[in-house]
């Protein structure tokens, strides 16, 4: 079948769901992943033909996209901060906003990058934050914790894939059982977390590809206690951080003022609220 004809079928079936540009992007990703073809092939060779066997994964992917399954889940991987990451239904798909958080952390550590720092990532998911930091801080010892054993497994695979060493811990910050975490007094230079922060009342703003295919455990919090994880982490970090150690959060864009007040209540200093590329209040930093 002519590849261009398959692309036209993708547009006929999917444009009403995603829009023309996103469908074009999906198709380019899929032909690169399954066929090793560049999008220029469609321009330079409009009659390029593929076999029945080569067609099959494209049409299977089309069926998944019609059900609004994320393209990252279909091909099983994504890119974050210039690094490859495996993803599946047990982990959140890393977002561009979180890349900005990693960049902020690294810039805050300018001048310390060659030092033997200790960092902790709470709620690691794919391991994208921990692994990206470890990759750019070669002398750091990075710890990462998650309550989900399935997520830990994916994160461990990603650490191997990116050739970094991470100490992974399966535990809950709401009920710490691990001895390393329990005894970590004045231990960490940096603690970072992108915990669940979407209130149930905000589900109406979430697209179906996220709502139906990404783990709710990592996304949602109760409407009446939206800062549950931030309170637990802020309290824990007061003892676990070294003096002048840094605490970083990705936050709910609607709760910036509440988060600033929370860190002030826990006596953090040099508190800074930062907007993401979309102009939303999405990141917060405090110093012990």
């Amino acid at each position: 079948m002519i590849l261009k004809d398959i692309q036209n079928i993708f547009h006929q079936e999917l444009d009403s769901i995603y829009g023309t540009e996103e469908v074009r992007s999906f198709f380019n990703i899929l032909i690169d992943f399954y066929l090793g073809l560049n999008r220029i092939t469609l321009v330079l060779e409009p009659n390029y033909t593929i076999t029945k066997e080569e067609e099959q994964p494209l049409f299977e992917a089309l069926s998944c996209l019609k059900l609004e399954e994320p393209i990252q889940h279909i091909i099983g991987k994504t890119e974050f901060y210039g690094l490859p990451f495996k993803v599946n239904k047990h982990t959140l798909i890393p977002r561009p906003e979180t890349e900005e958080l990693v960049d902020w952390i690294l810039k805050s550590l300018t001048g310390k990058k060659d030092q033997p720092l200790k960092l902790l990532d709470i709620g690691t998911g794919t391991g994208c934050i921990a692994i990206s930091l470890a990759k750019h801080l070669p002398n750091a010892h990075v710890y990462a914790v998650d309550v989900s054993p399935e997520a830990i497994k994916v994160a461990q695979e990603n650490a191997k894939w990116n050739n970094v060493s991470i100490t992974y811990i399966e535990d809950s910050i709401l009920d710490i059982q691990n001895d390393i975490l329990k005894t970590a007094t004045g231990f960490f230079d940096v603690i970072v977390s992108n915990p669940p922060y979407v209130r149930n009342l905000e589900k109406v703003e979430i697209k179906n590809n996220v709502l139906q295919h990404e783990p709710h455990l990592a996304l949602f919090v109760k409407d009446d206690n939206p800062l549950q994880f931030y309170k637990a982490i802020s309290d824990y970090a007061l003892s676990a951080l070294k003096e002048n150690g840094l605490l970083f959060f990705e936050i709910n864009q609607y709760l910036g003022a509440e988060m600033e007040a929370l860190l002030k209540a826990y006596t953090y200093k040099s508190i800074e609220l930062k907007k993401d590329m979309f102009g939303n209040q999405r990141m917060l930093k405090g110093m012990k």
Side-chain angles (χ1 to χ4, degrees), residues 135-146:
K135 199 73 175 177
H136 289 83
L137 300 168
N139 293 319
H141 188 160
V142 181
Y143 298 76
V145 60
D146 203 287

Side-chain angles (χ1 to χ4, degrees), residues 38-48:
N38 191 286
R39 60 186 177 83
I40 301 300
T41 302
L42 294 167
V43 177
L44 299 180
E45 301 181 58
N47 294 318
Y48 190 95

Side-chain angles (χ1 to χ4, degrees), residues 11 14 18 21 23 26 41 54 56 68 120 136 138 151 163 174 181 203 207 215 223 250:
H11 283 295
L14 300 175
Y18 299 102
E21 288 303 316
V23 173
F26 289 161
T41 302
E54 290 172 322
Q56 184 178 350
E68 299 188 67
L120 173 64
H136 289 83
N163 196 31
L174 301 180
L181 297 180
K203 280 185 178 180
K207 292 181 179 179
D223 293 343
E250 183 170 323

Side-chain angles (χ1 to χ4, degrees), residues 238-256:
L238 274 182
S239 60
L241 279 172
K242 295 178 181 178
E243 194 64 33
N244 296 322
L246 298 174
L247 176 62
F248 289 88
F249 284 125
E250 183 170 323
I251 67 171
N252 186 317
Q253 62 178 311
Y254 303 119
L255 299 175

Side-chain angles (χ1 to χ4, degrees), residues 122-154:
I122 298 174
T124 197
T126 59
C128 63
I129 293 176
I131 291 166
S132 298
L133 292 173
K135 199 73 175 177
H136 289 83
L137 300 168
N139 293 319
H141 188 160
V142 181
Y143 298 76
V145 60
D146 203 287
V147 72
S148 166
E150 294 88 359
I152 290 286
K153 183 178 178 181
V154 173

Side-chain angles (χ1 to χ4, degrees), residues 166-206:
I166 307 286
T167 300
Y168 285 108
I169 299 168
E170 183 187 331
D171 206 353
S172 169
I173 194 63
L174 301 180
D175 182 25
I176 296 173
Q177 301 297 320
N178 180 268
D179 287 340
I180 294 175
L181 297 180
K182 276 186 172 182
T183 60
T185 301
F187 189 74
F188 295 108
D189 297 278
V190 174
I191 294 177
V192 55
S193 184
N194 177 18
Y197 59 67
V198 181
R199 292 171 292 183
N200 285 307
L201 63 87
E202 293 160 358
K203 280 185 178 180
V204 293
E205 300 179 21
I206 306 298

Side-chain angles (χ1 to χ4, degrees), residues 112-130:
K112 298 182 179 180
K113 291 185 178 181
D114 294 325
Q115 296 179 14
L117 303 170
K118 290 184 174 66
L119 296 85
L120 173 64
D121 174 27
I122 298 174
T124 197
T126 59
C128 63
I129 293 176

Side-chain angles (χ1 to χ4, degrees), residues 32 37-38 160 253:
D32 175 54
L37 295 176
N38 191 286
K160 290 179 182 177
Q253 62 178 311

